[in-house]
Amino acid sequence: MRPFTYVRAHEVGEAAGQPGKFLAGGTTLIDLMKLDVERPAQVTDITALPLAEIAEHGGGVRIGALATMAQVADHPLIAARYPALRNALLAGASQQIRNMASMGGNVMQRTRCPYFRDTSFMACNKREPGSGCGAIAGNHRKQAILGTSDACVALHPSDASVALVAYDATLTLRGPDGEREVSLQDFNLLPGQTPHLEHDLREGELITAINLPAPPAGSGVYLKVRDRESYEFALSSCAALLDVQGGVIRAARVVLGGVGTRPWRSP
């Protein structure tokens, strides 16, 4: 791990605009700093910010970005109205990680592609733009098959994001120029020729909340296929929301995970 400046923010306005990386649960950032993949000159600790509330909002539910995966999965509003999200959170990590990892960090987590995470592999456009993609000609098991380009086939790893996209979630972002809201589906960028640009997040912006609209009629489920049933990333997964009336599917939302460079909405 390389030297860095540590800053602790106590207000959202104080954090917005800070350079470098934001530290919440640290379950992704600290790992990547130890691997020398992430090399921030400054780390801003945002764990003291008042961004952990889970509450009804505008007919739906607003989840503070610092709410942990465990808090969201255990919350009665989520269990009752958004069962596919609860299932995805429970399937997405061990209890220990769910206790630490923040929801904002979960949607920001970076790929588990071994060519990205191991700096001894030189060819990784996501880590070193212009260096190539070792996975295309190398070991591409557990790589994406949808949304890829000739520059990158790295898989999007988040289970929760698959369910959140199915529920049409949006993100509230706060930066030096104020607040804005974007859909989670649009927030995750396709690799194209710029796979190092993963999110629609501007310099100094941070996620302050995840917004779930009122859930659609019907029920929802999250299914995940993996190498082992304990904590493991998906070989493939699906969040499916179905409105079934009289044995007939009236409406459906299907989002695929484990197969795309971002959660893949399948109309």
Side-chain angles (χ1 to χ4, degrees):
M1 185 182 292
R2 304 190 181 205
F4 59 91
T5 300
Y6 173 84
V7 176
R8 185 171 174 84
H10 297 277
E11 298 179 1
V12 176
E14 178 188 1
Q18 291 286 347
K21 296 289 183 177
F22 295 111
L23 174 67
T27 57
T28 293
L29 176 61
I30 301 302
D31 282 351
L32 293 180
M33 290 174 67
K34 289 179 178 178
L35 293 171
D36 202 33
V37 174
E38 291 277 13
R39 305 168 181 174
Q42 177 175 307
V43 171
T44 301
D45 186 337
I46 59 172
T47 56
L49 302 185
L51 297 176
E53 185 182 22
I54 305 168
E56 292 189 90
H57 180 77
V61 173
R62 184 179 178 91
I63 301 170
L66 292 180
T68 67
M69 294 173 64
Q71 289 170 334
V72 176
D74 293 341
H75 200 282
L77 285 174
I78 302 302
R81 301 184 190 179
Y82 307 95
L85 175 57
R86 182 175 191 273
N87 293 343
L89 289 166
L90 294 176
S94 66
Q95 182 66 54
Q96 293 93 330
I97 291 178
R98 293 199 303 270
N99 288 340
M100 288 294 297
S102 69
M103 289 297 293
N106 184 283
V107 302
M108 286 286 292
Q109 68 178 294
R110 307 193 71 185
T111 183
R112 261 56 185 181
C113 173
Y115 296 91
F116 168 74
R117 295 174 67 87
D118 188 343
T119 56
S120 66
F121 293 110
M122 300 304 295
C124 177
N125 288 319
K126 190 177 285 293
R127 192 180 67 245
E128 298 290 344
S131 63
C133 177
I136 290 177
N139 181 1
H140 41 256
R141 187 176 188 267
K142 295 188 178 181
Q143 300 291 355
I145 58 175
L146 299 173
T148 63
S149 71
D150 60 3
C152 185
V153 295
L155 186 70
H156 189 280
S158 171
D159 289 279
S161 288
V162 178
L164 287 168
V165 169
Y167 285 116
D168 286 336
T170 64
L171 303 178
T172 301
L173 310 178
R174 174 73 179 272
D177 297 325
E179 197 171 81
R180 65 189 180 105
E181 190 169 323
V182 298
S183 73
L184 180 55
Q185 185 172 22
D186 294 336
F187 179 74
N188 295 295
L189 304 179
L190 293 174
Q193 297 304 304
T194 55
H196 60 291
L197 303 177
E198 300 175 4
H199 308 105
D200 178 22
L201 197 66
R202 299 168 186 167
E203 183 68 26
E205 279 189 327
L206 72 156
I207 301 170
T208 59
I210 300 170
N211 309 296
L212 291 165
S219 60
V221 66
Y222 182 75
L223 301 175
K224 180 177 181 178
V225 176
R226 44 193 163 175
D227 283 330
R228 57 182 184 177
E229 280 305 304
S230 59
Y231 167 50
E232 182 61 278
F233 291 96
L235 296 173
S236 63
S237 65
C238 177
L241 312 183
L242 301 180
D243 180 11
V244 182
Q245 300 178 25
V248 176
I249 298 175
R250 303 294 182 183
R253 297 183 192 175
V254 176
V255 180
L256 306 177
V259 292
T261 55
R262 66 181 181 184
W264 202 263
R265 187 75 175 260
S266 180

